Amino acid sequence: MIGLPLIIYEYYDALSRVWSEPEIQAAKKNEDLILILKFSDRSSIVQNELRKAINEFLLQQSIKNIRVSTLNRLLPANSLTEAWEVGKKYGATVVVWGEDTGVRIITRHLNIKNINLRRGINTIDDTDHALLRNSKLYSEFVTTALPAEARFLALYSIAQVRASSDYKKSINIINNAISSSIEVLTPYNIAEGYSRIAWLYYLNSEAGKAEKYFYKALSVHKDHVLSYVYRGSMYQRYGRINCSISDYTKAITIAKKLAKENKGINQRTLSDNNLKDAMKYIIVLYSRRAFLYAGLNKFDEALKDSE
């Protein structure tokens, strides 16, 4: 009985291939489209579970103007350019794609509307389990943990895009996305969500609420670099210089450790871009800290940071 859900899925996959998939509609004005591509040419299990999880959340939260569509297109996990082109073709806000080999699942998310957002591309790379097809473990992972994680990342991306028009609604989306999946989300992604909420509060002059959410982020993941960077920036703006220096120092220490491990500040070892990401933050933070030291007449410390 273990493999029965997957057998049923495979049966419907076979039927679905009898008919050609209708062309999906491009995103309408004021609509955010989440486009989910296939993960395997053998099955649509992952694709269907992701769509189901996101749609259920949108219905429960009464969130409007977000549409989830699936596309019968398969791309390798590293096909960033192709995913971008598909997303632009349909006017999507987020494209979700990846690979399901039966023993490993890689899920990628690309924020099409704002590629400059640091979390514009996210990865769920499950290598901790032997995900054998038709096994109970694979079935539970694909129908529970993976959809919850993917749902959070997709909605998180949309919340960032919508933040400029209504930051409070964006905060609600992120908070609800976290709370609905908190049992299966990684500590890093929970911290990422809380840190983004904190930053949105800070940008809208609600420093007290921002500080509260930075604390929540670091309580979940004490090495979340961006929480220290963002909070340090907030402290600097409000004249809490020693607090700002302390946060920048913590961020530098963590980023240097990650760089030595060939990891980016997202804690993952995936490509040379992650190493460059960590090094970029180290250079910027040394510069910021040097400026603050100089303002305190600590010129020796400022000079060391400038070297």
Side-chain angles (χ1 to χ4, degrees):
M1 295 296 293
I2 289 176
L4 183 58
L6 298 176
I7 293 172
I8 294 173
Y9 262 119
E10 297 288 358
Y11 171 73
Y12 282 108
D13 280 347
L15 286 179
S16 67
R17 282 193 289 269
V18 175
W19 299 279
S20 60
E21 179 178 335
E23 184 74 6
I24 66 170
Q25 289 186 342
K28 300 175 182 178
K29 185 178 181 180
N30 298 323
E31 178 185 57
D32 285 302
L33 173 63
I34 300 173
L35 190 58
I36 306 174
L37 278 58
K38 291 193 69 173
F39 284 69
S40 168
D41 57 4
R42 302 180 307 276
S43 169
S44 298
I45 297 174
V46 175
Q47 186 185 39
N48 290 338
E49 287 297 330
L50 298 190
R51 177 177 59 182
K52 176 184 174 184
I54 298 172
N55 274 331
E56 286 179 348
F57 178 84
L58 296 176
L59 183 62
Q60 291 168 2
Q61 301 296 324
S62 299
I63 299 175
K64 301 183 183 301
N65 299 324
I66 297 178
R67 176 162 54 92
V68 186
S69 293
T70 56
L71 185 66
N72 189 23
R73 175 82 179 271
L74 184 65
L75 292 178
N78 61 355
S79 299
L80 178 60
T81 301
E82 291 86 346
W84 170 269
E85 291 172 351
V86 171
K88 293 295 287 185
K89 175 181 178 181
Y90 293 101
T93 299
V94 178
V95 176
V96 184
W97 82 104
E99 297 177 25
D100 173 11
T101 66
V103 295
R104 188 183 189 206
I105 296 176
I106 303 174
T107 303
R108 308 297 298 271
H109 293 66
L110 180 62
N111 190 325
I112 300 293
K113 293 291 182 70
N114 194 339
I115 193 64
N116 292 320
L117 289 173
R118 195 192 66 77
R119 294 297 292 173
I121 187 159
N122 306 273
T123 300
I124 307 168
D125 184 353
D126 191 275
T127 56
D128 296 329
H129 306 291
L131 296 174
L132 302 178
R133 291 190 63 79
N134 298 323
S135 71
K136 182 178 180 180
L137 181 61
Y138 179 90
S139 179
E140 289 178 349
F141 178 74
V142 169
T143 60
T144 306
L146 179 62
E149 187 90 349
R151 174 180 60 204
F152 165 76
L153 292 173
L155 294 170
Y156 175 73
S157 294
I158 287 177
Q160 291 185 91
V161 171
R162 292 187 170 188
S164 59
S165 59
D166 193 332
Y167 79 96
K168 289 185 178 180
K169 283 188 178 179
S170 290
I171 286 172
N172 285 337
I173 289 175
I174 297 173
N175 250 330
N176 290 335
I178 292 172
S179 61
S180 69
S181 307
I182 199 162
E183 292 182 357
V184 295
L185 288 177
T186 64
Y188 182 86
N189 278 329
I190 296 172
E192 187 79 4
Y194 286 148
S195 183
R196 177 56 58 176
I197 290 173
W199 186 246
L200 290 175
Y201 274 130
Y202 161 64
L203 290 178
N204 289 278
S205 302
E206 297 192 57
K209 292 181 180 178
E211 192 164 28
K212 171 188 172 182
Y213 273 93
F214 281 132
Y215 177 79
K216 290 183 72 169
L218 292 168
S219 295
V220 174
H221 195 299
K222 64 182 179 64
D223 289 339
H224 189 255
V225 177
L226 280 189
S227 288
Y228 290 115
V229 175
Y230 291 158
R231 192 174 67 177
S233 297
M234 182 179 74
Y235 286 153
Q236 182 176 349
R237 177 181 176 183
Y238 289 108
R240 298 171 63 179
I241 304 304
N242 288 326
C243 290
S244 181
I245 289 174
S246 176
D247 274 358
Y248 288 158
T249 300
K250 289 176 181 176
I252 290 170
T253 301
I254 298 168
K256 287 173 69 175
K257 178 178 180 291
L258 292 170
K260 287 182 180 179
E261 296 172 355
N262 196 32
K263 294 180 179 179
I265 58 172
N266 61 359
Q267 314 283 326
R268 296 182 181 277
T269 306
L270 292 172
S271 68
D272 290 341
N273 288 334
N274 282 311
L275 179 58
K276 293 176 183 177
D277 186 36
M279 294 302 297
K280 177 185 70 176
Y281 274 92
I282 292 169
I283 293 169
V284 170
L285 290 169
Y286 270 127
S287 176
R288 289 188 185 183
R289 194 173 66 174
F291 176 80
L292 296 179
Y293 277 140
L296 296 174
N297 295 324
K298 296 183 178 182
F299 297 112
D300 288 342
E301 289 90 339
L303 184 60
K304 288 180 182 179
D305 278 358
S306 301
E307 291 177 348

